PDB file of all heavy atoms in Angstrom:
ATOM      1  N   GLU A   1      -3.916   4.764  -2.701  1.00 97.00           N
ATOM      2  CA  GLU A   1      -3.487   4.770  -4.103  1.00 97.00           C
ATOM      3  C   GLU A   1      -2.407   5.824  -4.344  1.00 97.00           C
ATOM      4  O   GLU A   1      -1.420   5.564  -5.048  1.00 97.00           O
ATOM      5  CB  GLU A   1      -4.681   5.050  -5.014  1.00 97.00           C
ATOM      6  CG  GLU A   1      -5.756   3.985  -4.970  1.00 97.00           C
ATOM      7  CD  GLU A   1      -6.781   4.206  -3.876  1.00 97.00           C
ATOM      8  OE1 GLU A   1      -6.547   5.071  -2.993  1.00 97.00           O
ATOM      9  OE2 GLU A   1      -7.820   3.524  -3.891  1.00 97.00           O
ATOM     10  N   ALA A   2      -2.582   7.004  -3.742  1.00 96.00           N
ATOM     11  CA  ALA A   2      -1.592   8.060  -3.920  1.00 96.00           C
ATOM     12  C   ALA A   2      -0.273   7.700  -3.260  1.00 96.00           C
ATOM     13  O   ALA A   2       0.810   7.991  -3.786  1.00 96.00           O
ATOM     14  CB  ALA A   2      -2.121   9.380  -3.343  1.00 96.00           C
ATOM     15  N   ALA A   3      -0.357   7.044  -2.114  1.00 96.00           N
ATOM     16  CA  ALA A   3       0.863   6.649  -1.407  1.00 96.00           C
ATOM     17  C   ALA A   3       1.667   5.651  -2.221  1.00 96.00           C
ATOM     18  O   ALA A   3       2.886   5.801  -2.391  1.00 96.00           O
ATOM     19  CB  ALA A   3       0.506   6.055  -0.045  1.00 96.00           C
ATOM     20  N   VAL A   4       1.006   4.615  -2.738  1.00 96.00           N
ATOM     21  CA  VAL A   4       1.738   3.591  -3.475  1.00 96.00           C
ATOM     22  C   VAL A   4       2.244   4.127  -4.806  1.00 96.00           C
ATOM     23  O   VAL A   4       3.332   3.755  -5.276  1.00 96.00           O
ATOM     24  CB  VAL A   4       0.887   2.320  -3.658  1.00 96.00           C
ATOM     25  CG1 VAL A   4      -0.176   2.481  -4.724  1.00 96.00           C
ATOM     26  CG2 VAL A   4       1.766   1.117  -3.968  1.00 96.00           C
ATOM     27  N   GLN A   5       1.504   5.012  -5.432  1.00 95.00           N
ATOM     28  CA  GLN A   5       1.959   5.582  -6.700  1.00 95.00           C
ATOM     29  C   GLN A   5       3.180   6.474  -6.501  1.00 95.00           C
ATOM     30  O   GLN A   5       4.127   6.442  -7.291  1.00 95.00           O
ATOM     31  CB  GLN A   5       0.821   6.348  -7.356  1.00 95.00           C
ATOM     32  CG  GLN A   5      -0.261   5.440  -7.937  1.00 95.00           C
ATOM     33  CD  GLN A   5      -1.555   6.161  -8.243  1.00 95.00           C
ATOM     34  OE1 GLN A   5      -1.658   7.378  -8.086  1.00 95.00           O
ATOM     35  NE2 GLN A   5      -2.555   5.408  -8.671  1.00 95.00           N
ATOM     36  N   ALA A   6       3.165   7.279  -5.427  1.00 93.00           N
ATOM     37  CA  ALA A   6       4.320   8.139  -5.147  1.00 93.00           C
ATOM     38  C   ALA A   6       5.545   7.309  -4.824  1.00 93.00           C
ATOM     39  O   ALA A   6       6.650   7.568  -5.331  1.00 93.00           O
ATOM     40  CB  ALA A   6       3.998   9.082  -3.995  1.00 93.00           C
ATOM     41  N   THR A   7       5.371   6.304  -3.992  1.00 89.00           N
ATOM     42  CA  THR A   7       6.527   5.500  -3.597  1.00 89.00           C
ATOM     43  C   THR A   7       7.044   4.641  -4.752  1.00 89.00           C
ATOM     44  O   THR A   7       8.224   4.280  -4.767  1.00 89.00           O
ATOM     45  CB  THR A   7       6.181   4.624  -2.385  1.00 89.00           C
ATOM     46  OG1 THR A   7       4.996   3.858  -2.655  1.00 89.00           O
ATOM     47  CG2 THR A   7       5.919   5.481  -1.156  1.00 89.00           C
ATOM     48  N   ARG A   8       6.178   4.327  -5.705  1.00 91.00           N
ATOM     49  CA  ARG A   8       6.652   3.620  -6.901  1.00 91.00           C
ATOM     50  C   ARG A   8       7.619   4.512  -7.681  1.00 91.00           C
ATOM     51  O   ARG A   8       8.647   4.038  -8.175  1.00 91.00           O
ATOM     52  CB  ARG A   8       5.465   3.222  -7.780  1.00 91.00           C
ATOM     53  CG  ARG A   8       5.871   2.499  -9.072  1.00 91.00           C
ATOM     54  CD  ARG A   8       4.641   1.951  -9.788  1.00 91.00           C
ATOM     55  NE  ARG A   8       3.661   2.996 -10.034  1.00 91.00           N
ATOM     56  CZ  ARG A   8       2.391   2.770 -10.363  1.00 91.00           C
ATOM     57  NH1 ARG A   8       1.931   1.536 -10.452  1.00 91.00           N
ATOM     58  NH2 ARG A   8       1.567   3.777 -10.578  1.00 91.00           N
ATOM     59  N   GLN A   9       7.312   5.790  -7.743  1.00 93.00           N
ATOM     60  CA  GLN A   9       8.209   6.732  -8.422  1.00 93.00           C
ATOM     61  C   GLN A   9       9.545   6.826  -7.690  1.00 93.00           C
ATOM     62  O   GLN A   9      10.585   7.049  -8.312  1.00 93.00           O
ATOM     63  CB  GLN A   9       7.558   8.105  -8.506  1.00 93.00           C
ATOM     64  CG  GLN A   9       6.313   8.157  -9.382  1.00 93.00           C
ATOM     65  CD  GLN A   9       5.628   9.510  -9.336  1.00 93.00           C
ATOM     66  OE1 GLN A   9       6.006  10.383  -8.564  1.00 93.00           O
ATOM     67  NE2 GLN A   9       4.610   9.684 -10.157  1.00 93.00           N
ATOM     68  N   TRP A  10       9.516   6.646  -6.376  1.00 95.00           N
ATOM     69  CA  TRP A  10      10.753   6.720  -5.592  1.00 95.00           C
ATOM     70  C   TRP A  10      11.520   5.405  -5.621  1.00 95.00           C
ATOM     71  O   TRP A  10      12.609   5.320  -5.042  1.00 95.00           O
ATOM     72  CB  TRP A  10      10.428   7.094  -4.133  1.00 95.00           C
ATOM     73  CG  TRP A  10       9.684   8.383  -3.990  1.00 95.00           C
ATOM     74  CD1 TRP A  10       9.680   9.436  -4.873  1.00 95.00           C
ATOM     75  CD2 TRP A  10       8.820   8.762  -2.916  1.00 95.00           C
ATOM     76  NE1 TRP A  10       8.863  10.437  -4.413  1.00 95.00           N
ATOM     77  CE2 TRP A  10       8.322  10.070  -3.213  1.00 95.00           C
ATOM     78  CE3 TRP A  10       8.407   8.142  -1.739  1.00 95.00           C
ATOM     79  CZ2 TRP A  10       7.446  10.751  -2.368  1.00 95.00           C
ATOM     80  CZ3 TRP A  10       7.534   8.811  -0.897  1.00 95.00           C
ATOM     81  CH2 TRP A  10       7.062  10.104  -1.212  1.00 95.00           C
ATOM     82  N   GLN A  11      10.971   4.397  -6.252  1.00 94.00           N
ATOM     83  CA  GLN A  11      11.625   3.093  -6.419  1.00 94.00           C
ATOM     84  C   GLN A  11      12.051   2.493  -5.075  1.00 94.00           C
ATOM     85  O   GLN A  11      13.195   2.110  -4.869  1.00 94.00           O
ATOM     86  CB  GLN A  11      12.825   3.224  -7.364  1.00 94.00           C
ATOM     87  CG  GLN A  11      12.433   3.689  -8.767  1.00 94.00           C
ATOM     88  CD  GLN A  11      13.615   3.774  -9.704  1.00 94.00           C
ATOM     89  OE1 GLN A  11      14.737   4.100  -9.298  1.00 94.00           O
ATOM     90  NE2 GLN A  11      13.388   3.475 -10.968  1.00 94.00           N
ATOM     91  N   LEU A  12      11.062   2.367  -4.205  1.00 96.00           N
ATOM     92  CA  LEU A  12      11.303   1.780  -2.894  1.00 96.00           C
ATOM     93  C   LEU A  12      11.382   0.264  -2.974  1.00 96.00           C
ATOM     94  O   LEU A  12      10.883  -0.355  -3.902  1.00 96.00           O
ATOM     95  CB  LEU A  12      10.189   2.178  -1.929  1.00 96.00           C
ATOM     96  CG  LEU A  12      10.019   3.670  -1.657  1.00 96.00           C
ATOM     97  CD1 LEU A  12       8.871   3.877  -0.684  1.00 96.00           C
ATOM     98  CD2 LEU A  12      11.301   4.271  -1.096  1.00 96.00           C
ATOM     99  N   THR A  13      11.973  -0.321  -1.960  1.00 97.00           N
ATOM    100  CA  THR A  13      12.034  -1.777  -1.858  1.00 97.00           C
ATOM    101  C   THR A  13      10.656  -2.343  -1.550  1.00 97.00           C
ATOM    102  O   THR A  13      10.248  -3.369  -2.109  1.00 97.00           O
ATOM    103  CB  THR A  13      13.023  -2.189  -0.758  1.00 97.00           C
ATOM    104  OG1 THR A  13      14.302  -1.596  -1.035  1.00 97.00           O
ATOM    105  CG2 THR A  13      13.155  -3.695  -0.682  1.00 97.00           C
ATOM    106  N   ALA A  14       9.932  -1.697  -0.637  1.00 97.00           N
ATOM    107  CA  ALA A  14       8.594  -2.150  -0.250  1.00 97.00           C
ATOM    108  C   ALA A  14       7.827  -0.974   0.319  1.00 97.00           C
ATOM    109  O   ALA A  14       8.408   0.012   0.789  1.00 97.00           O
ATOM    110  CB  ALA A  14       8.675  -3.277   0.775  1.00 97.00           C
ATOM    111  N   VAL A  15       6.499  -1.077   0.291  1.00 98.00           N
ATOM    112  CA  VAL A  15       5.622  -0.021   0.791  1.00 98.00           C
ATOM    113  C   VAL A  15       4.423  -0.676   1.444  1.00 98.00           C
ATOM    114  O   VAL A  15       4.069  -1.812   1.108  1.00 98.00           O
ATOM    115  CB  VAL A  15       5.174   0.915  -0.359  1.00 98.00           C
ATOM    116  CG1 VAL A  15       4.373   0.151  -1.410  1.00 98.00           C
ATOM    117  CG2 VAL A  15       4.364   2.095   0.164  1.00 98.00           C
ATOM    118  N   GLY A  16       3.797   0.009   2.389  1.00 98.00           N
ATOM    119  CA  GLY A  16       2.645  -0.619   3.011  1.00 98.00           C
ATOM    120  C   GLY A  16       1.956   0.253   4.026  1.00 98.00           C
ATOM    121  O   GLY A  16       2.031   1.490   3.977  1.00 98.00           O
ATOM    122  N   ALA A  17       1.262  -0.416   4.958  1.00 97.00           N
ATOM    123  CA  ALA A  17       0.452   0.257   5.964  1.00 97.00           C
ATOM    124  C   ALA A  17       0.806  -0.271   7.347  1.00 97.00           C
ATOM    125  O   ALA A  17       0.959  -1.481   7.535  1.00 97.00           O
ATOM    126  CB  ALA A  17      -1.037   0.028   5.680  1.00 97.00           C
ATOM    127  N   ASN A  18       0.935   0.635   8.295  1.00 97.00           N
ATOM    128  CA  ASN A  18       1.164   0.232   9.677  1.00 97.00           C
ATOM    129  C   ASN A  18       0.295   1.091  10.587  1.00 97.00           C
ATOM    130  O   ASN A  18      -0.288   2.084  10.158  1.00 97.00           O
ATOM    131  CB  ASN A  18       2.638   0.358  10.076  1.00 97.00           C
ATOM    132  CG  ASN A  18       3.036   1.776  10.430  1.00 97.00           C
ATOM    133  OD1 ASN A  18       3.073   2.642   9.554  1.00 97.00           O
ATOM    134  ND2 ASN A  18       3.346   2.032  11.685  1.00 97.00           N
ATOM    135  N   CYS A  19       0.203   0.686  11.841  1.00 94.00           N
ATOM    136  CA  CYS A  19      -0.577   1.400  12.845  1.00 94.00           C
ATOM    137  C   CYS A  19      -2.035   1.440  12.372  1.00 94.00           C
ATOM    138  O   CYS A  19      -2.634   0.399  12.158  1.00 94.00           O
ATOM    139  CB  CYS A  19       0.006   2.790  13.073  1.00 94.00           C
ATOM    140  SG  CYS A  19      -0.383   3.502  14.691  1.00 94.00           S
ATOM    141  N   GLY A  20      -2.646   2.599  12.189  1.00 90.00           N
ATOM    142  CA  GLY A  20      -3.997   2.698  11.654  1.00 90.00           C
ATOM    143  C   GLY A  20      -5.070   2.589  12.718  1.00 90.00           C
ATOM    144  O   GLY A  20      -4.838   2.125  13.835  1.00 90.00           O
ATOM    145  N   ALA A  21      -6.283   3.021  12.346  1.00 84.00           N
ATOM    146  CA  ALA A  21      -7.384   3.061  13.306  1.00 84.00           C
ATOM    147  C   ALA A  21      -7.930   1.677  13.616  1.00 84.00           C
ATOM    148  O   ALA A  21      -8.193   1.352  14.769  1.00 84.00           O
ATOM    149  CB  ALA A  21      -8.489   3.969  12.776  1.00 84.00           C
ATOM    150  N   THR A  22      -8.145   0.861  12.593  1.00 90.00           N
ATOM    151  CA  THR A  22      -8.715  -0.470  12.798  1.00 90.00           C
ATOM    152  C   THR A  22      -8.029  -1.464  11.877  1.00 90.00           C
ATOM    153  O   THR A  22      -7.424  -1.096  10.873  1.00 90.00           O
ATOM    154  CB  THR A  22     -10.227  -0.483  12.484  1.00 90.00           C
ATOM    155  OG1 THR A  22     -10.421  -0.249  11.083  1.00 90.00           O
ATOM    156  CG2 THR A  22     -10.977   0.568  13.293  1.00 90.00           C
ATOM    157  N   LEU A  23      -8.180  -2.733  12.200  1.00 93.00           N
ATOM    158  CA  LEU A  23      -7.652  -3.778  11.329  1.00 93.00           C
ATOM    159  C   LEU A  23      -8.316  -3.712   9.958  1.00 93.00           C
ATOM    160  O   LEU A  23      -7.656  -3.895   8.925  1.00 93.00           O
ATOM    161  CB  LEU A  23      -7.892  -5.151  11.950  1.00 93.00           C
ATOM    162  CG  LEU A  23      -7.052  -5.520  13.172  1.00 93.00           C
ATOM    163  CD1 LEU A  23      -7.549  -6.819  13.775  1.00 93.00           C
ATOM    164  CD2 LEU A  23      -5.580  -5.623  12.798  1.00 93.00           C
ATOM    165  N   GLU A  24      -9.613  -3.455   9.947  1.00 93.00           N
ATOM    166  CA  GLU A  24     -10.344  -3.404   8.687  1.00 93.00           C
ATOM    167  C   GLU A  24      -9.857  -2.264   7.810  1.00 93.00           C
ATOM    168  O   GLU A  24      -9.744  -2.421   6.583  1.00 93.00           O
ATOM    169  CB  GLU A  24     -11.843  -3.263   8.969  1.00 93.00           C
ATOM    170  CG  GLU A  24     -12.487  -4.465   9.626  1.00 93.00           C
ATOM    171  CD  GLU A  24     -12.158  -4.601  11.114  1.00 93.00           C
ATOM    172  OE1 GLU A  24     -11.701  -3.608  11.723  1.00 93.00           O
ATOM    173  OE2 GLU A  24     -12.351  -5.703  11.656  1.00 93.00           O
ATOM    174  N   MET A  25      -9.560  -1.122   8.412  1.00 93.00           N
ATOM    175  CA  MET A  25      -9.085   0.016   7.631  1.00 93.00           C
ATOM    176  C   MET A  25      -7.702  -0.266   7.050  1.00 93.00           C
ATOM    177  O   MET A  25      -7.411   0.077   5.903  1.00 93.00           O
ATOM    178  CB  MET A  25      -9.063   1.272   8.493  1.00 93.00           C
ATOM    179  CG  MET A  25      -8.928   2.563   7.714  1.00 93.00           C
ATOM    180  SD  MET A  25      -9.163   4.031   8.752  1.00 93.00           S
ATOM    181  CE  MET A  25     -10.916   3.879   9.138  1.00 93.00           C
ATOM    182  N   THR A  26      -6.838  -0.894   7.839  1.00 95.00           N
ATOM    183  CA  THR A  26      -5.512  -1.235   7.336  1.00 95.00           C
ATOM    184  C   THR A  26      -5.611  -2.267   6.217  1.00 95.00           C
ATOM    185  O   THR A  26      -4.920  -2.151   5.190  1.00 95.00           O
ATOM    186  CB  THR A  26      -4.638  -1.783   8.480  1.00 95.00           C
ATOM    187  OG1 THR A  26      -4.499  -0.777   9.488  1.00 95.00           O
ATOM    188  CG2 THR A  26      -3.257  -2.175   7.964  1.00 95.00           C
ATOM    189  N   GLU A  27      -6.486  -3.243   6.385  1.00 96.00           N
ATOM    190  CA  GLU A  27      -6.663  -4.258   5.348  1.00 96.00           C
ATOM    191  C   GLU A  27      -7.183  -3.631   4.053  1.00 96.00           C
ATOM    192  O   GLU A  27      -6.713  -3.974   2.957  1.00 96.00           O
ATOM    193  CB  GLU A  27      -7.623  -5.331   5.833  1.00 96.00           C
ATOM    194  CG  GLU A  27      -7.815  -6.475   4.847  1.00 96.00           C
ATOM    195  CD  GLU A  27      -8.725  -7.556   5.391  1.00 96.00           C
ATOM    196  OE1 GLU A  27      -9.019  -7.560   6.606  1.00 96.00           O
ATOM    197  OE2 GLU A  27      -9.152  -8.418   4.591  1.00 96.00           O
ATOM    198  N   GLU A  28      -8.142  -2.723   4.166  1.00 96.00           N
ATOM    199  CA  GLU A  28      -8.681  -2.076   2.972  1.00 96.00           C
ATOM    200  C   GLU A  28      -7.623  -1.214   2.294  1.00 96.00           C
ATOM    201  O   GLU A  28      -7.551  -1.157   1.061  1.00 96.00           O
ATOM    202  CB  GLU A  28      -9.894  -1.219   3.346  1.00 96.00           C
ATOM    203  CG  GLU A  28     -10.527  -0.468   2.184  1.00 96.00           C
ATOM    204  CD  GLU A  28     -11.039  -1.377   1.080  1.00 96.00           C
ATOM    205  OE1 GLU A  28     -11.262  -2.581   1.323  1.00 96.00           O
ATOM    206  OE2 GLU A  28     -11.224  -0.877  -0.050  1.00 96.00           O
ATOM    207  N   ALA A  29      -6.791  -0.537   3.085  1.00 97.00           N
ATOM    208  CA  ALA A  29      -5.712   0.265   2.504  1.00 97.00           C
ATOM    209  C   ALA A  29      -4.765  -0.621   1.703  1.00 97.00           C
ATOM    210  O   ALA A  29      -4.334  -0.256   0.598  1.00 97.00           O
ATOM    211  CB  ALA A  29      -4.964   1.008   3.606  1.00 97.00           C
ATOM    212  N   LEU A  30      -4.435  -1.778   2.235  1.00 97.00           N
ATOM    213  CA  LEU A  30      -3.550  -2.706   1.532  1.00 97.00           C
ATOM    214  C   LEU A  30      -4.211  -3.219   0.253  1.00 97.00           C
ATOM    215  O   LEU A  30      -3.552  -3.364  -0.784  1.00 97.00           O
ATOM    216  CB  LEU A  30      -3.182  -3.870   2.441  1.00 97.00           C
ATOM    217  CG  LEU A  30      -2.274  -3.514   3.624  1.00 97.00           C
ATOM    218  CD1 LEU A  30      -2.318  -4.603   4.674  1.00 97.00           C
ATOM    219  CD2 LEU A  30      -0.847  -3.270   3.147  1.00 97.00           C
ATOM    220  N   ARG A  31      -5.507  -3.478   0.306  1.00 97.00           N
ATOM    221  CA  ARG A  31      -6.225  -3.939  -0.884  1.00 97.00           C
ATOM    222  C   ARG A  31      -6.164  -2.874  -1.994  1.00 97.00           C
ATOM    223  O   ARG A  31      -5.925  -3.183  -3.163  1.00 97.00           O
ATOM    224  CB  ARG A  31      -7.670  -4.255  -0.522  1.00 97.00           C
ATOM    225  CG  ARG A  31      -8.465  -4.914  -1.660  1.00 97.00           C
ATOM    226  CD  ARG A  31      -9.899  -5.180  -1.217  1.00 97.00           C
ATOM    227  NE  ARG A  31      -9.947  -5.918   0.032  1.00 97.00           N
ATOM    228  CZ  ARG A  31      -9.776  -7.230   0.125  1.00 97.00           C
ATOM    229  NH1 ARG A  31      -9.551  -7.957  -0.974  1.00 97.00           N
ATOM    230  NH2 ARG A  31      -9.823  -7.842   1.302  1.00 97.00           N
ATOM    231  N   ARG A  32      -6.368  -1.627  -1.582  1.00 97.00           N
ATOM    232  CA  ARG A  32      -6.343  -0.539  -2.569  1.00 97.00           C
ATOM    233  C   ARG A  32      -4.930  -0.300  -3.103  1.00 97.00           C
ATOM    234  O   ARG A  32      -4.741   0.042  -4.263  1.00 97.00           O
ATOM    235  CB  ARG A  32      -6.929   0.721  -1.947  1.00 97.00           C
ATOM    236  CG  ARG A  32      -8.438   0.611  -1.714  1.00 97.00           C
ATOM    237  CD  ARG A  32      -8.976   1.644  -0.756  1.00 97.00           C
ATOM    238  NE  ARG A  32      -8.768   3.008  -1.220  1.00 97.00           N
ATOM    239  CZ  ARG A  32      -9.138   4.081  -0.519  1.00 97.00           C
ATOM    240  NH1 ARG A  32      -9.728   3.939   0.661  1.00 97.00           N
ATOM    241  NH2 ARG A  32      -8.917   5.294  -1.001  1.00 97.00           N
ATOM    242  N   MET A  33      -3.922  -0.487  -2.250  1.00 97.00           N
ATOM    243  CA  MET A  33      -2.541  -0.400  -2.726  1.00 97.00           C
ATOM    244  C   MET A  33      -2.260  -1.487  -3.762  1.00 97.00           C
ATOM    245  O   MET A  33      -1.634  -1.229  -4.796  1.00 97.00           O
ATOM    246  CB  MET A  33      -1.566  -0.536  -1.548  1.00 97.00           C
ATOM    247  CG  MET A  33      -1.436   0.682  -0.676  1.00 97.00           C
ATOM    248  SD  MET A  33      -0.193   0.426   0.625  1.00 97.00           S
ATOM    249  CE  MET A  33       0.097   2.124   1.137  1.00 97.00           C
ATOM    250  N   ARG A  34      -2.714  -2.700  -3.472  1.00 97.00           N
ATOM    251  CA  ARG A  34      -2.495  -3.802  -4.403  1.00 97.00           C
ATOM    252  C   ARG A  34      -3.175  -3.531  -5.740  1.00 97.00           C
ATOM    253  O   ARG A  34      -2.600  -3.775  -6.805  1.00 97.00           O
ATOM    254  CB  ARG A  34      -3.032  -5.107  -3.791  1.00 97.00           C
ATOM    255  CG  ARG A  34      -3.065  -6.300  -4.729  1.00 97.00           C
ATOM    256  CD  ARG A  34      -1.679  -6.623  -5.291  1.00 97.00           C
ATOM    257  NE  ARG A  34      -0.787  -7.118  -4.271  1.00 97.00           N
ATOM    258  CZ  ARG A  34       0.506  -6.768  -4.169  1.00 97.00           C
ATOM    259  NH1 ARG A  34       1.049  -5.921  -5.028  1.00 97.00           N
ATOM    260  NH2 ARG A  34       1.272  -7.271  -3.220  1.00 97.00           N
ATOM    261  N   GLU A  35      -4.388  -2.993  -5.720  1.00 97.00           N
ATOM    262  CA  GLU A  35      -5.093  -2.688  -6.966  1.00 97.00           C
ATOM    263  C   GLU A  35      -4.385  -1.582  -7.743  1.00 97.00           C
ATOM    264  O   GLU A  35      -4.333  -1.610  -8.978  1.00 97.00           O
ATOM    265  CB  GLU A  35      -6.527  -2.274  -6.655  1.00 97.00           C
ATOM    266  CG  GLU A  35      -7.387  -3.425  -6.132  1.00 97.00           C
ATOM    267  CD  GLU A  35      -8.740  -2.969  -5.628  1.00 97.00           C
ATOM    268  OE1 GLU A  35      -8.963  -1.730  -5.561  1.00 97.00           O
ATOM    269  OE2 GLU A  35      -9.571  -3.826  -5.287  1.00 97.00           O
ATOM    270  N   ALA A  36      -3.811  -0.607  -7.024  1.00 97.00           N
ATOM    271  CA  ALA A  36      -3.125   0.503  -7.685  1.00 97.00           C
ATOM    272  C   ALA A  36      -1.777   0.090  -8.246  1.00 97.00           C
ATOM    273  O   ALA A  36      -1.306   0.669  -9.238  1.00 97.00           O
ATOM    274  CB  ALA A  36      -2.950   1.667  -6.708  1.00 97.00           C
ATOM    275  N   ASP A  37      -1.124  -0.895  -7.616  1.00 96.00           N
ATOM    276  CA  ASP A  37       0.184  -1.350  -8.079  1.00 96.00           C
ATOM    277  C   ASP A  37       0.312  -2.853  -7.817  1.00 96.00           C
ATOM    278  O   ASP A  37       0.764  -3.279  -6.754  1.00 96.00           O
ATOM    279  CB  ASP A  37       1.309  -0.590  -7.369  1.00 96.00           C
ATOM    280  CG  ASP A  37       2.684  -0.918  -7.946  1.00 96.00           C
ATOM    281  OD1 ASP A  37       2.770  -1.842  -8.790  1.00 96.00           O
ATOM    282  OD2 ASP A  37       3.659  -0.255  -7.568  1.00 96.00           O
ATOM    283  N   PRO A  38      -0.085  -3.678  -8.776  1.00 96.00           N
ATOM    284  CA  PRO A  38      -0.052  -5.139  -8.592  1.00 96.00           C
ATOM    285  C   PRO A  38       1.343  -5.693  -8.339  1.00 96.00           C
ATOM    286  O   PRO A  38       1.471  -6.826  -7.859  1.00 96.00           O
ATOM    287  CB  PRO A  38      -0.631  -5.673  -9.908  1.00 96.00           C
ATOM    288  CG  PRO A  38      -1.443  -4.546 -10.461  1.00 96.00           C
ATOM    289  CD  PRO A  38      -0.702  -3.310 -10.063  1.00 96.00           C
ATOM    290  N   GLU A  39       2.388  -4.928  -8.660  1.00 94.00           N
ATOM    291  CA  GLU A  39       3.754  -5.433  -8.523  1.00 94.00           C
ATOM    292  C   GLU A  39       4.430  -5.014  -7.224  1.00 94.00           C
ATOM    293  O   GLU A  39       5.528  -5.486  -6.917  1.00 94.00           O
ATOM    294  CB  GLU A  39       4.604  -4.943  -9.707  1.00 94.00           C
ATOM    295  CG  GLU A  39       4.065  -5.348 -11.074  1.00 94.00           C
ATOM    296  CD  GLU A  39       3.947  -6.846 -11.213  1.00 94.00           C
ATOM    297  OE1 GLU A  39       4.865  -7.561 -10.762  1.00 94.00           O
ATOM    298  OE2 GLU A  39       2.931  -7.311 -11.751  1.00 94.00           O
ATOM    299  N   ALA A  40       3.800  -4.149  -6.452  1.00 96.00           N
ATOM    300  CA  ALA A  40       4.441  -3.633  -5.240  1.00 96.00           C
ATOM    301  C   ALA A  40       4.645  -4.729  -4.204  1.00 96.00           C
ATOM    302  O   ALA A  40       3.789  -5.599  -4.017  1.00 96.00           O
ATOM    303  CB  ALA A  40       3.603  -2.507  -4.645  1.00 96.00           C
ATOM    304  N   ALA A  41       5.787  -4.691  -3.527  1.00 97.00           N
ATOM    305  CA  ALA A  41       6.018  -5.547  -2.365  1.00 97.00           C
ATOM    306  C   ALA A  41       5.368  -4.861  -1.170  1.00 97.00           C
ATOM    307  O   ALA A  41       5.790  -3.785  -0.747  1.00 97.00           O
ATOM    308  CB  ALA A  41       7.507  -5.727  -2.121  1.00 97.00           C
ATOM    309  N   LEU A  42       4.300  -5.459  -0.632  1.00 98.00           N
ATOM    310  CA  LEU A  42       3.508  -4.809   0.402  1.00 98.00           C
ATOM    311  C   LEU A  42       3.917  -5.247   1.808  1.00 98.00           C
ATOM    312  O   LEU A  42       4.310  -6.389   2.033  1.00 98.00           O
ATOM    313  CB  LEU A  42       2.023  -5.109   0.198  1.00 98.00           C
ATOM    314  CG  LEU A  42       1.373  -4.525  -1.057  1.00 98.00           C
ATOM    315  CD1 LEU A  42      -0.115  -4.854  -1.089  1.00 98.00           C
ATOM    316  CD2 LEU A  42       1.587  -3.020  -1.138  1.00 98.00           C
ATOM    317  N   VAL A  43       3.762  -4.298   2.730  1.00 98.00           N
ATOM    318  CA  VAL A  43       4.077  -4.509   4.139  1.00 98.00           C
ATOM    319  C   VAL A  43       2.817  -4.241   4.964  1.00 98.00           C
ATOM    320  O   VAL A  43       2.126  -3.242   4.736  1.00 98.00           O
ATOM    321  CB  VAL A  43       5.195  -3.565   4.606  1.00 98.00           C
ATOM    322  CG1 VAL A  43       5.506  -3.772   6.086  1.00 98.00           C
ATOM    323  CG2 VAL A  43       6.439  -3.745   3.759  1.00 98.00           C
ATOM    324  N   ALA A  44       2.518  -5.118   5.918  1.00 98.00           N
ATOM    325  CA  ALA A  44       1.379  -4.935   6.818  1.00 98.00           C
ATOM    326  C   ALA A  44       1.857  -5.046   8.259  1.00 98.00           C
ATOM    327  O   ALA A  44       2.379  -6.085   8.667  1.00 98.00           O
ATOM    328  CB  ALA A  44       0.300  -5.981   6.544  1.00 98.00           C
ATOM    329  N   LYS A  45       1.651  -3.981   9.025  1.00 98.00           N
ATOM    330  CA  LYS A  45       2.047  -3.989  10.445  1.00 98.00           C
ATOM    331  C   LYS A  45       0.982  -3.226  11.242  1.00 98.00           C
ATOM    332  O   LYS A  45       1.185  -2.089  11.668  1.00 98.00           O
ATOM    333  CB  LYS A  45       3.430  -3.340  10.601  1.00 98.00           C
ATOM    334  CG  LYS A  45       4.348  -4.049  11.606  1.00 98.00           C
ATOM    335  CD  LYS A  45       5.761  -3.527  11.499  1.00 98.00           C
ATOM    336  CE  LYS A  45       6.708  -4.290  12.423  1.00 98.00           C
ATOM    337  NZ  LYS A  45       6.589  -3.934  13.838  1.00 98.00           N
TER     338      LYS A  45
END
């Protein structure tokens, strides 16, 4: 949530999650980003 909120202030083209410990953790991070900013263009890698 803090990551997506900060990057929204920076007016980025897209924001997201890459690498990470597990697929489940990356998926949950993306879910929480989406809830924090429904308009963000999300990236998953």
Side-chain angles (χ1 to χ4, degrees):
E1 296 87 348
V4 76
Q5 287 164 3
T7 53
R8 179 171 55 196
Q9 294 175 354
W10 303 335
Q11 299 182 326
L12 299 180
T13 304
V15 62
N18 80 292
C19 204
T22 66
L23 288 172
E24 293 75 17
M25 195 171 292
T26 299
E27 183 177 347
E28 179 60 20
L30 291 163
R31 187 181 308 280
R32 290 163 61 182
M33 284 183 163
R34 171 58 68 221
E35 291 171 353
D37 187 352
E39 302 302 319
L42 294 183
V43 179
K45 220 169 184 284

